[in-house]
Amino acid sequence: MKLVIVGTGYVGLVTGSCFAEFGYDTLCVDKNENRINELKNAKSPFFEPGLDDLLSKHINKTKLLSFTSSLSSAMNNADIVFITVGTPYLKSEEETDLSAVREVAKEIAENIKNYTVVVTKSTVPPGTTKEVKKIIASKVPEKNFDVVSNPEFLREGSAINDFMRPDRVIIGIENKKSENIMREIYRPLFLKETPIISTTIESSEIIKYASNSFLATKIAFINEVSDLCEKVDADVQDVAKAMGLDNRIGSKFLNVSPGYGGSCFPKDVKTFSSAAKKYGVDLSIVKAVDSSNTQRTINIASRIIKKIGNNLNKKEVCLLGLSFKPNTDDIRESAAIIIARELINKGAKVNCFDPKAMNNAKKVIPKLNCCMSAYEACDNASAIIIATEWNEFRALNLSKIKESASEAVIFDLRNIYNKQYVINLGIEYHGIGK
Ligand code: UGA
């Protein structure tokens, strides 16, 4: 079975590498030639734990993984083509930009040789996979292809593990033939008893948005509850823990934060409600989650600024963590980045440290002062903000930090420290929801 993956972003590259790990001959395509040239040398364009090893293994040793910038030549002998190109949210038009998906569909249509299954793996609004079908059907007899929706649920930072050990695989299909082919390529997961759920194409597309929006709702919900906890002397971590013990609620995704970020939740929550609006459906809860989360980060930034003093001119602030979550260098929609901008706008000098994301952050905020370590970033700081819960921030030598900071104040936006422990060291502590 020959697999073609179009688009080498997170989803495409992880999917391609993992299918090669399953033993499939996998060809990844991207029109960005520089990226393809780097990938041919096993150089990943982003940091994802375990990815470099998989790339090097399957490019150099097994030779199951290869790369090209030519989709037309990639289509020779392709059995399955996965579309994994970007689907950004267009704020001005309040909808998803599907131009890359459409473009790829057209090129696939022009180059289909034998019967091919065309799979949308990019997160796309309901109706998109059928639109892909229409584009291909304008050039190719319907017996020569099928379309399938197969959304991806991997998380950045644990993407390979998520692909190899998913909670479920969703395949939105129109007939048995394409269903059997999809079940066949995911057969290696049968051993792990992964549920493989067949649905209509539209259900499959909605499952992805509903899942991400539901998880985002849990986060926005607990973040709002944390505000109340602060007012009434409750501890949100106790509240979340006790709530999570109810199996109907579940303990995951109830960790408070300065707001969810990343390339998925913010975009998918917006897209879900705007896609529903087109069908006359008001997803009011989903809309509320989006505005709650946007406001959340702004509120947290103002709270910090108010505490340090509104005039931040000449003040130095230490920011630990820039990525939207640990184990990634991705800073898209990261709360840390929004907070950094607010501080700099108010005149502060922001000394930051992040194990992986500093290069990306510097590109969007050139004024950031990137340091070699968390300790260096803390020197002369009027406040220390822990924005992302990287493991290496969990056991910092706080006494050492207290000595080098100009004021011993910590804003622990991920609640990774015990409040009393920090206070006992003579450091002012501001956690969340307690
Ligand atoms: C998310 C989903 O978890 C994946 O299942 C999905 O495949 C992916 O989007 C996607 O659509 O491609 P990801 O954005 O990589 O994955 O990361 P998450 O671990 O879900 O975290 C998203 C954001 O929520 C982060 O900013 C994180 O800090 C925040 N978060 C997460 C919280 O604030 N609290 C929590 O309890 C959990």
Side-chain angles (χ1 to χ4, degrees), residues 370-396:
C370 295
C371 300
M372 298 299 285
S373 70
Y375 295 104
E376 188 190 323
C378 291
D379 279 349
N380 301 320
S382 297
I384 294 149
I385 303 165
I386 302 171
T388 313
E389 69 278 30
W390 284 91
N391 273 343
E392 63 185 272
F393 301 151
R394 288 177 188 271
L396 291 167

Short mmCIF file of all heavy atoms in Angstrom, two decimals, residues 370-396:
data_model
loop_
_atom_site.label_atom_id
_atom_site.label_comp_id
_atom_site.label_asym_id
_atom_site.label_seq_id
_atom_site.Cartn_x
_atom_site.Cartn_y
_atom_site.Cartn_z
N CYS A 370 16.04 37.40 25.39
CA CYS A 370 16.11 35.96 25.63
C CYS A 370 17.35 35.61 26.44
O CYS A 370 18.45 36.08 26.13
CB CYS A 370 16.13 35.21 24.30
SG CYS A 370 14.60 35.44 23.39
N CYS A 371 17.17 34.81 27.47
CA CYS A 371 18.28 34.47 28.38
C CYS A 371 18.69 33.01 28.21
O CYS A 371 17.97 32.21 27.62
CB CYS A 371 17.85 34.72 29.82
SG CYS A 371 17.40 36.44 30.09
N MET A 372 19.86 32.68 28.76
CA MET A 372 20.39 31.33 28.60
C MET A 372 19.78 30.33 29.59
O MET A 372 19.88 29.13 29.41
CB MET A 372 21.91 31.33 28.81
CG MET A 372 22.67 32.18 27.81
SD MET A 372 22.42 31.59 26.13
CE MET A 372 23.46 30.14 26.16
N SER A 373 19.20 30.86 30.66
CA SER A 373 18.62 29.94 31.66
C SER A 373 17.50 30.66 32.41
O SER A 373 17.39 31.90 32.35
CB SER A 373 19.68 29.52 32.68
OG SER A 373 20.00 30.63 33.49
N ALA A 374 16.72 29.88 33.14
CA ALA A 374 15.65 30.47 33.96
C ALA A 374 16.26 31.40 35.00
O ALA A 374 15.73 32.48 35.28
CB ALA A 374 14.87 29.35 34.65
N TYR A 375 17.41 31.00 35.55
CA TYR A 375 18.04 31.81 36.60
C TYR A 375 18.50 33.16 36.06
O TYR A 375 18.30 34.19 36.69
CB TYR A 375 19.20 31.04 37.23
CG TYR A 375 18.70 29.81 37.96
CD1 TYR A 375 18.85 28.54 37.42
CD2 TYR A 375 18.03 29.94 39.17
CE1 TYR A 375 18.36 27.42 38.07
CE2 TYR A 375 17.53 28.82 39.84
CZ TYR A 375 17.68 27.56 39.28
OH TYR A 375 17.18 26.47 39.91
N GLU A 376 19.09 33.14 34.86
CA GLU A 376 19.55 34.40 34.27
C GLU A 376 18.34 35.31 34.03
O GLU A 376 18.41 36.52 34.28
CB GLU A 376 20.27 34.10 32.95
CG GLU A 376 20.94 35.34 32.37
CD GLU A 376 21.45 35.11 30.94
OE1 GLU A 376 21.93 34.00 30.63
OE2 GLU A 376 21.34 36.05 30.14
N ALA A 377 17.24 34.75 33.60
CA ALA A 377 16.04 35.55 33.33
C ALA A 377 15.49 36.19 34.61
O ALA A 377 14.80 37.22 34.56
CB ALA A 377 14.98 34.69 32.65
N CYS A 378 15.78 35.57 35.74
CA CYS A 378 15.25 36.08 37.02
C CYS A 378 16.07 37.24 37.60
O CYS A 378 15.60 37.96 38.48
CB CYS A 378 15.19 34.97 38.06
SG CYS A 378 13.95 33.72 37.69
N ASP A 379 17.28 37.42 37.08
CA ASP A 379 18.16 38.50 37.62
C ASP A 379 17.46 39.85 37.53
O ASP A 379 16.94 40.22 36.48
CB ASP A 379 19.46 38.59 36.78
CG ASP A 379 20.47 37.55 37.23
OD1 ASP A 379 20.24 36.92 38.29
OD2 ASP A 379 21.44 37.33 36.50
N ASN A 380 17.45 40.59 38.63
CA ASN A 380 16.89 41.96 38.71
C ASN A 380 15.39 42.04 38.45
O ASN A 380 14.87 43.12 38.18
CB ASN A 380 17.57 42.92 37.71
CG ASN A 380 19.05 43.01 37.96
OD1 ASN A 380 19.46 43.05 39.12
ND2 ASN A 380 19.83 43.01 36.90
N ALA A 381 14.72 40.91 38.46
CA ALA A 381 13.30 40.94 38.09
C ALA A 381 12.42 41.53 39.20
O ALA A 381 12.62 41.24 40.38
CB ALA A 381 12.82 39.53 37.77
N SER A 382 11.46 42.37 38.78
CA SER A 382 10.47 42.89 39.74
C SER A 382 9.36 41.86 39.95
O SER A 382 8.58 41.97 40.90
CB SER A 382 9.83 44.15 39.19
OG SER A 382 10.79 45.15 39.04
N ALA A 383 9.28 40.92 39.03
CA ALA A 383 8.30 39.83 39.19
C ALA A 383 8.74 38.68 38.30
O ALA A 383 9.36 38.89 37.26
CB ALA A 383 6.92 40.30 38.78
N ILE A 384 8.40 37.47 38.74
CA ILE A 384 8.72 36.27 37.96
C ILE A 384 7.40 35.62 37.57
O ILE A 384 6.59 35.30 38.45
CB ILE A 384 9.60 35.32 38.79
CG1 ILE A 384 10.95 35.99 39.03
CG2 ILE A 384 9.76 33.97 38.09
CD1 ILE A 384 11.59 35.60 40.33
N ILE A 385 7.20 35.47 36.27
CA ILE A 385 5.94 34.87 35.80
C ILE A 385 6.25 33.50 35.23
O ILE A 385 7.06 33.37 34.30
CB ILE A 385 5.30 35.75 34.69
CG1 ILE A 385 5.09 37.18 35.21
CG2 ILE A 385 4.01 35.14 34.19
CD1 ILE A 385 4.81 38.18 34.09
N ILE A 386 5.58 32.48 35.77
CA ILE A 386 5.72 31.14 35.18
C ILE A 386 4.50 30.95 34.30
O ILE A 386 3.37 30.79 34.78
CB ILE A 386 5.79 30.05 36.26
CG1 ILE A 386 6.97 30.33 37.20
CG2 ILE A 386 5.93 28.67 35.61
CD1 ILE A 386 7.00 29.44 38.43
N ALA A 387 4.71 31.01 32.98
CA ALA A 387 3.57 31.00 32.06
C ALA A 387 3.30 29.62 31.47
O ALA A 387 2.18 29.32 31.07
CB ALA A 387 3.80 32.01 30.94
N THR A 388 4.35 28.79 31.37
CA THR A 388 4.19 27.46 30.76
C THR A 388 4.83 26.43 31.69
O THR A 388 5.93 26.68 32.21
CB THR A 388 4.89 27.42 29.38
OG1 THR A 388 4.51 28.58 28.65
CG2 THR A 388 4.50 26.19 28.60
N GLU A 389 4.15 25.32 31.88
CA GLU A 389 4.61 24.37 32.91
C GLU A 389 5.66 23.37 32.40
O GLU A 389 5.50 22.16 32.51
CB GLU A 389 3.39 23.66 33.53
CG GLU A 389 2.62 22.68 32.65
CD GLU A 389 1.61 23.32 31.71
OE1 GLU A 389 1.81 24.47 31.27
OE2 GLU A 389 0.62 22.64 31.37
N TRP A 390 6.76 23.89 31.85
CA TRP A 390 7.87 23.00 31.48
C TRP A 390 8.37 22.31 32.75
O TRP A 390 8.46 22.94 33.81
CB TRP A 390 9.01 23.82 30.87
CG TRP A 390 8.79 24.27 29.46
CD1 TRP A 390 8.24 25.45 29.06
CD2 TRP A 390 9.13 23.57 28.26
NE1 TRP A 390 8.22 25.51 27.68
CE2 TRP A 390 8.76 24.37 27.17
CE3 TRP A 390 9.73 22.32 28.00
CZ2 TRP A 390 8.96 23.99 25.84
CZ3 TRP A 390 9.93 21.94 26.68
CH2 TRP A 390 9.54 22.77 25.61
N ASN A 391 8.77 21.04 32.60
CA ASN A 391 9.25 20.30 33.78
C ASN A 391 10.40 21.02 34.47
O ASN A 391 10.48 21.02 35.69
CB ASN A 391 9.72 18.90 33.37
CG ASN A 391 8.54 17.94 33.37
OD1 ASN A 391 7.51 18.23 33.97
ND2 ASN A 391 8.69 16.81 32.69
N GLU A 392 11.27 21.65 33.67
CA GLU A 392 12.45 22.25 34.31
C GLU A 392 12.13 23.50 35.14
O GLU A 392 12.99 24.01 35.83
CB GLU A 392 13.55 22.52 33.30
CG GLU A 392 13.23 23.50 32.23
CD GLU A 392 14.41 23.55 31.24
OE1 GLU A 392 15.34 24.32 31.46
OE2 GLU A 392 14.36 22.80 30.26
N PHE A 393 10.87 23.96 35.11
CA PHE A 393 10.49 25.08 35.99
C PHE A 393 9.88 24.58 37.30
O PHE A 393 9.55 25.36 38.19
CB PHE A 393 9.49 26.01 35.31
CG PHE A 393 9.98 26.62 34.01
CD1 PHE A 393 9.10 26.97 33.00
CD2 PHE A 393 11.34 26.86 33.82
CE1 PHE A 393 9.55 27.54 31.81
CE2 PHE A 393 11.80 27.43 32.63
CZ PHE A 393 10.91 27.76 31.63
N ARG A 394 9.68 23.26 37.39
CA ARG A 394 8.94 22.73 38.53
C ARG A 394 9.75 22.63 39.82
O ARG A 394 9.19 22.55 40.90
CB ARG A 394 8.37 21.34 38.21
CG ARG A 394 7.23 21.39 37.22
CD ARG A 394 6.76 19.98 36.86
NE ARG A 394 5.80 20.02 35.77
CZ ARG A 394 4.49 20.15 35.93
NH1 ARG A 394 3.97 20.23 37.13
NH2 ARG A 394 3.69 20.19 34.87
N ALA A 395 11.08 22.59 39.68
CA ALA A 395 11.89 22.45 40.89
C ALA A 395 13.04 23.44 40.85
O ALA A 395 14.21 23.09 41.08
CB ALA A 395 12.41 21.01 41.00
N LEU A 396 12.73 24.68 40.58
CA LEU A 396 13.76 25.72 40.54
C LEU A 396 14.26 25.98 41.96
O LEU A 396 13.50 25.79 42.93
CB LEU A 396 13.18 27.01 39.97
CG LEU A 396 12.81 27.00 38.48
CD1 LEU A 396 11.97 28.23 38.13
CD2 LEU A 396 14.06 26.95 37.61
#
